[in-house]
Amino acid sequence: IKKLYDRSIKGYMISMEKESTSTSLQFPKSSKGTLLVTHPILVVQLQLHPERSFSMELIVVDTEQQRRRFHLSTNFKEVNANHLHVCMPWLQPNRDHWTNVAINLEQLVSAFQNGKSAVGFLNLESISIQPFCKIRKIFALPLKYFDDEDTG
């Protein structure tokens, strides 16, 4: 994992080019810590390698204080889910270009709630990203930036 200056984006980025079981970018750094991000929109600015694999794991807490693990990867072909763990394919047609990927964590939790009607997103506990990719920024936004009715 290297921090490099990229002229095409006129800024710094994190390059993850080596494949290893120990190579990953994890927030927070310690597995004992927690992010406690309450904004439901997670945005990742990234560029994937055209032919290599990529995976990202999100651990969220729902309104019933249940931890849920969402694993998104280019290696998965279909969605596989149980009540605590969801494996989803990462589908991105233009893998060689910089892309802003916005993940609505509120909708993600509600889509895999296993029949419970009132379960919602509470916070994002951790993010783990495995190679191969380049990352410019990771940030969270409140839901109001994605509402169609909100003009302000």
Side-chain angles (χ1 to χ4, degrees):
I1 299 176
K2 296 178 185 175
K3 183 177 180 181
L4 304 170
Y5 184 81
D6 187 350
R7 287 185 180 187
S8 67
I9 60 172
K10 297 178 183 169
Y12 286 93
M13 55 125 183
I14 296 171
S15 178
M16 299 174 67
E17 297 296 326
K18 288 190 176 181
E19 187 170 21
S20 169
T21 55
S22 63
T23 304
S24 71
L25 187 63
Q26 182 174 326
F27 301 105
K29 213 172 199 179
S30 168
S31 61
K32 295 178 183 176
T34 181
L35 289 176
L36 292 177
V37 174
T38 57
H39 291 313
I41 306 296
L42 178 68
V43 180
V44 182
Q45 295 179 340
L46 56 78
Q47 179 182 21
L48 300 183
H49 190 280
E51 292 132 16
R52 304 300 296 261
S53 65
F54 165 79
S55 67
M56 177 168 54
E57 185 175 83
L58 307 171
I59 299 178
V60 300
V61 178
D62 64 22
T63 51
E64 292 184 344
Q65 300 297 320
Q66 188 72 38
R67 292 176 75 205
R68 295 170 182 248
R69 185 180 311 263
F70 294 93
H71 192 169
L72 299 95
S73 176
T74 56
N75 295 328
F76 299 140
K77 302 295 181 213
E78 59 186 34
V79 176
N80 185 4
N82 64 32
H83 66 286
L84 297 177
H85 189 87
V86 177
C87 297
M88 299 173 58
W90 183 281
L91 304 173
Q92 185 174 346
N94 297 328
R95 292 176 59 147
D96 203 19
H97 295 89
W98 284 98
T99 308
N100 292 328
V101 178
I103 302 169
N104 188 329
L105 299 172
E106 209 168 72
Q107 287 182 347
L108 198 61
V109 169
S110 66
F112 296 100
Q113 61 188 347
N114 293 329
K116 297 178 182 178
S117 60
V119 176
F121 168 76
L122 186 62
N123 64 54
L124 176 64
E125 199 169 88
S126 72
I127 303 169
S128 177
I129 300 173
Q130 286 80 30
F132 286 85
C133 68
K134 296 175 183 176
I135 299 173
R136 185 173 181 200
K137 290 182 185 177
I138 300 173
F139 56 95
L141 294 172
L143 192 59
K144 70 178 186 175
Y145 289 105
F146 285 88
D147 286 342
D148 291 335
E149 298 138 10
D150 188 15
T151 57

